[in-house]
Amino acid sequence: MNQIIGVEGGPTGPPSMRIHPRARLALGLSVLGCVPLLVLPGIAAFAVASDAERRIWASEGAYTGHDQIRTARRLARIGIGIGLATLVAFLIFTQRHGIGTVREVFFKPEFLRGSFPKVLKGFWLNVQIFFIAEALVLVWGLVLAIFRIAPGRLGAPLRWFATAYIDIVRGLPAILTIVLIGLGLPLVELPLFKDFTDFQFAILALTIVYGAYVAEVYRSGIEGVHWSQTAAARSLGLSYGQTMQHVIVPQAVRRIVPPLLNDWIGLQKDTALVNVLGTLEGFNLARNYNSNHSTLTATTVLGFCYVVVTIPLARLTDTLLKRDQRRTTGG
Amino acid sequence: MTFLEVRDVEKYFGTNHVLKGITLDVDEHQVICLIGASGSGKSTLLRCINGLEAIQAGSITIDDLEVTQEESRLNFLRRYVGIVFQSFNLFPHKTVLENVTLAPRKVLMKSREEAEAIAEPWLTRIGLWEKRNDYPDRLSGGQQQRVAIARALSMQPKLLLLDEITSALDPELVGEVLTMVQELAAEGMTMLLATHEMGFARDCASSVVFLHQGVLLEQGTPDQIFTNPTCEPTQQFLKRVIEAKRI
Ligand SMILES: Nc1ncnc2c1ncn2[C@@H]1O[C@H](COP(=O)(O)OP(=O)(O)OP(=O)(O)O)[C@@H](O)[C@H]1O
Ligand SMILES: [Mg+2]
């Protein structure tokens, strides 16, 4: 103790009681870490403490402030101990008293078995919506992207349309667009849409929403192809359209596969949003089951279905990304 | 007969005045070398000639047809004007053969067989017919650049623009590409080329043009330019180049 104060005081000034701000933060965090159940502040206190140590040394030019830091560390260690201990106690407690309810709500075996066929039937509709919408999205997104970058004065109206469309749709929460399209259009009684089923409206709405996102993916891919490729193609006499078709888009598509797959996963999950249209898909069938049996088990089952489909997609995306990186950095 | 006429061409990039009143004639079967320091406007001039860049004043006329930014005219003119770039710009997603046959098929409307019949002699000549099904990243820089030249030649151009086509190559690969250009020159191909290879300019050029900060400062036979440059900047430029070569 004495040693610290002595050094802190320095050769000229009086002994200062000032605490370095970082050290104060470390102390604060370590005190917070002593609150039962909390573990993270304690861990953070350790990191802040060693950071504070280095800063204090740098600013004072001497081996000072060690005492505060040591206190912070000690408190943090105690805090982590308390936090972990209470956490374990809490888990044991809920295990004893609450786990039965948890099982009742989320995992009741009887309901798992009972709801599975129904939920699966609904989920199959989601899968269909996904596949059809995805195919349409790929085409519609490309069309929008090509509009968006249409050249010259001739292309100006196309550019404006696509820009406005993409900005608006991306600015709206997906569920709003889905409601506006799926519930709004049938009321307007437009000739073409009059006979659409809610299944078809669901696909239309998702295509409109995801077309905007995928258009931006395409666009970034197209703009990512170096302009010298355009120069080379145009100088050979290829027209703008031919250059796009034979030179730019094929190269763009290769590099956008990973971000495109990301949007697939998003679309796959967002097929659940069409429940607001009353389509008898997974979400609604699960909800019906749940309200009949006062449980949430059917929704758990549905969640399981989604994860089974999306996780392989996510891994595929990773693999493709890695391969892409290897190709672009390794050669 | 004058094939390419460049008259008082002015080119700006924003406020950057890059070409200042360039006037230049290229006759059929002539080989004209553009020399000048980096940034003097060589590439820009070549790119303007084939309409990749618009000019702000003056005119460029190829075989009595003026180069404008009108889409269909450009597409037409570019059949007759080939350009090869410093960075090859081969299409990475297409094989060597597809690179060479793309334009004949899509622009000249040849069938695949016809286009391949055009490509074969060129690829054979550059010794790459065996590699026709490889992708460009499998080839050395020199091979890629020769494919790029073959790609331009597959359109049977009347004028070939070459923009520092050896600058991106390792020294030992420069020779094979220059030899090919030399052969083309001997066969009577009309060429306008930007180059830093003074030895090559001296041997092959019918005329050498010195560009300095966007101005065409001096033009003459290789002998005149290399042994008796009249302008101060030309002298300095040549001195610098020669010194750089020694080091
Ligand atoms: N696309 C462009 N946009 C804006 N400025 C440009 C563009 N291309 C070239 N410039 C400018 O024009 C000037 C001439 O460039 P240019 O590439 O024609 O020179 P160069 O003689 O070919 O040089 P180098 O020997 O380095 O190839 C430079 O100042 C350059 O910065
Ligand atoms: Mg250049």
Side-chain angles (χ1 to χ4, degrees):
Chain A
M1 285 276 175
N2 310 337
Q3 167 218 343
I4 306 301
I5 293 170
V7 178
E8 246 189 359
T12 49
S16 112
M17 292 311 291
R18 188 172 60 85
I19 300 182
H20 191 278
R22 289 288 166 149
R24 191 178 298 149
L25 179 61
L27 275 171
L29 278 172
S30 60
V31 172
L32 193 60
C34 292
V35 176
L37 271 180
L38 293 185
V39 181
L40 284 179
I43 296 174
F46 268 110
V48 174
S50 25
D51 177 62
E53 206 165 49
R54 258 177 279 116
R55 275 164 197 271
I56 292 171
W57 294 345
S59 66
E60 311 277 312
Y63 186 75
T64 53
H66 206 71
D67 197 41
Q68 303 146 15
I69 303 295
R70 195 162 25 197
T71 314
R73 286 225 174 92
R74 202 174 298 141
L75 276 174
R77 208 173 300 130
I78 296 170
I80 292 175
I82 297 176
L84 282 177
T86 50
L87 207 59
V88 170
F90 177 75
L91 285 179
I92 292 172
F93 178 82
T94 51
Q95 195 69 352
R96 286 272 170 78
H97 297 88
I99 203 71
T101 333
V102 170
R103 198 185 290 147
E104 198 74 16
V105 174
F106 296 109
F107 300 111
K108 195 164 189 187
E110 178 195 332
F111 292 160
L112 281 178
R113 246 176 283 118
S115 68
F116 188 71
K118 287 206 179 75
V119 171
L120 193 68
K121 187 159 148 269
F123 183 67
W124 174 235
L125 203 66
N126 290 89
V127 172
Q128 283 173 300
I129 292 175
F130 165 69
F131 273 110
I132 300 174
E134 181 59 35
L136 294 174
V137 160
L138 283 178
V139 178
W140 178 225
L142 183 59
V143 171
L144 280 173
I146 287 180
F147 281 8
R148 176 89 200 254
I149 57 168
R153 222 175 317 152
L154 214 70
L158 294 178
R159 273 200 308 276
W160 294 334
F161 164 75
T163 310
Y165 175 102
I166 291 170
D167 285 353
I168 291 172
V169 171
R170 291 208 312 172
L172 288 174
I175 197 151
L176 267 187
T177 316
I178 291 171
V179 167
L180 290 177
I181 302 287
L183 299 181
L185 273 187
L187 298 178
V188 186
E189 299 210 339
L190 288 174
L192 175 63
F193 299 116
K194 217 170 44 200
D195 308 321
F196 265 33
T197 62
D198 54 355
F199 175 72
Q200 286 164 320
F201 273 119
I203 289 170
L204 179 69
L206 284 172
T207 306
I208 285 175
V209 172
Y210 270 83
Y213 289 96
V214 167
E216 288 297 277
V217 172
Y218 275 121
R219 185 172 71 103
S220 73
I222 288 171
E223 288 178 346
V225 177
H226 199 259
W227 59 265
S228 63
Q229 287 288 309
T230 310
R234 296 308 302 274
S235 74
L236 285 165
L238 269 68
S239 67
Y240 176 82
Q242 287 174 322
T243 302
M244 276 289 160
Q245 184 189 345
H246 299 292
V247 176
I248 305 301
V249 172
Q251 290 185 60
V253 165
R254 264 154 240 235
R255 63 182 67 206
I256 62 171
V257 168
L260 221 47
L261 280 175
N262 259 335
D263 278 347
W264 277 30
I265 295 172
L267 174 59
Q268 162 66 25
K269 288 185 301 187
D270 280 355
T271 55
L273 295 181
V274 307
N275 77 80
V276 295
L277 305 183
T279 315
L280 288 179
E281 45 68 72
F283 188 89
N284 276 337
L285 286 186
R287 189 165 54 184
N288 292 349
Y289 187 93
N290 287 339
S291 50
N292 290 341
H293 297 81
S294 51
T295 174
L296 271 179
T297 305
T299 304
T300 311
V301 171
L302 181 64
F304 177 76
C305 292
Y306 271 104
V307 168
V308 163
V309 175
T310 47
I311 286 183
L313 264 179
R315 285 292 80 78
L316 180 64
T317 313
D318 284 354
T319 315
L320 288 174
L321 260 176
K322 244 180 234 134
R323 207 173 60 188
D324 201 50
Q325 268 164 10
R326 223 176 307 137
R327 210 175 37 206
T328 44
T329 55
Chain B
M1 190 205 129
T2 307
F3 185 71
L4 166 68
E5 265 184 35
V6 179
R7 286 283 169 275
D8 308 314
V9 163
E10 307 280 342
K11 168 74 191 171
Y12 294 82
F13 283 113
T15 55
N16 187 5
H17 197 176
V18 177
L19 297 179
K20 301 169 184 160
I22 302 281
T23 294
L24 176 70
D25 281 340
V26 181
D27 293 346
E28 265 179 297
H29 311 307
Q30 266 195 329
V31 176
I32 301 217
C33 285
L34 295 174
I35 61 172
S38 184
S40 56
K42 305 181 295 292
S43 304
T44 307
L45 177 59
L46 294 178
R47 294 168 60 79
C48 288
I49 290 173
N50 111 334
L52 286 171
E53 299 283 356
I55 57 176
Q56 276 76 49
S59 68
I60 297 172
T61 312
I62 298 172
D63 209 10
D64 291 331
L65 190 62
E66 189 176 340
V67 180
T68 64
Q69 285 298 305
E70 190 196 335
E71 179 84 8
S72 59
R73 183 180 299 204
L74 279 182
N75 289 340
F76 173 81
L77 273 171
R78 283 171 178 157
R79 296 175 172 207
Y80 300 101
V81 182
I83 185 166
V84 182
F85 305 91
Q86 178 176 346
S87 50
F88 326 143
N89 300 358
L90 291 178
F91 305 131
H93 62 301
K94 295 198 176 288
T95 63
V96 166
L97 187 60
E98 287 166 348
N99 261 279
V100 179
T101 54
L102 179 68
R105 288 178 59 198
K106 301 302 167 190
V107 180
L108 303 180
M109 304 295 186
K110 307 264 191 216
S111 69
R112 181 188 289 275
E113 290 72 27
E114 287 170 326
E116 287 177 1
I118 296 173
E120 184 175 352
W122 285 116
L123 287 176
T124 310
R125 180 164 159 181
I126 61 175
L128 291 176
W129 180 246
E130 266 66 56
K131 298 212 179 247
R132 62 185 175 280
N133 292 324
D134 284 358
Y135 287 90
D137 61 0
R138 285 289 159 118
L139 305 181
S140 75
Q143 291 172 330
Q144 289 188 45
Q145 192 57 294
R146 282 181 286 151
V147 172
I149 297 173
R151 181 175 70 178
L153 291 171
S154 70
M155 292 295 286
Q156 291 156 316
K158 296 222 168 85
L159 170 66
L160 200 55
L161 308 172
L162 306 174
D163 188 4
E164 285 182 39
I165 57 173
T166 56
S167 296
L169 297 180
D170 293 338
E172 68 269 22
L173 300 176
V174 169
E176 60 188 60
V177 172
L178 287 185
T179 308
M180 186 175 175
V181 178
Q182 225 149 3
E183 286 171 11
L184 289 172
E187 288 160 25
M189 174 65 77
T190 314
M191 285 187 280
L192 181 57
L193 49 109
T195 185
H196 284 309
E197 299 286 334
M198 297 305 153
F200 173 81
R202 189 189 281 269
D203 293 345
C204 280
S206 0
S207 175
V208 176
V209 169
F210 178 67
L211 282 185
H212 180 65
Q213 296 174 356
V215 178
L216 195 161
L217 216 54
E218 202 167 345
Q219 176 169 17
T221 63
D223 230 28
Q224 278 167 356
I225 299 287
F226 289 118
T227 53
N228 274 320
T230 52
C231 300
E232 175 80 25
T234 323
Q235 290 160 3
Q236 276 172 5
F237 172 74
L238 289 172
K239 207 167 120 211
R240 266 206 317 275
V241 172
I242 289 164
E243 271 164 12
K245 273 274 149 64
R246 291 230 180 89
I247 293 166

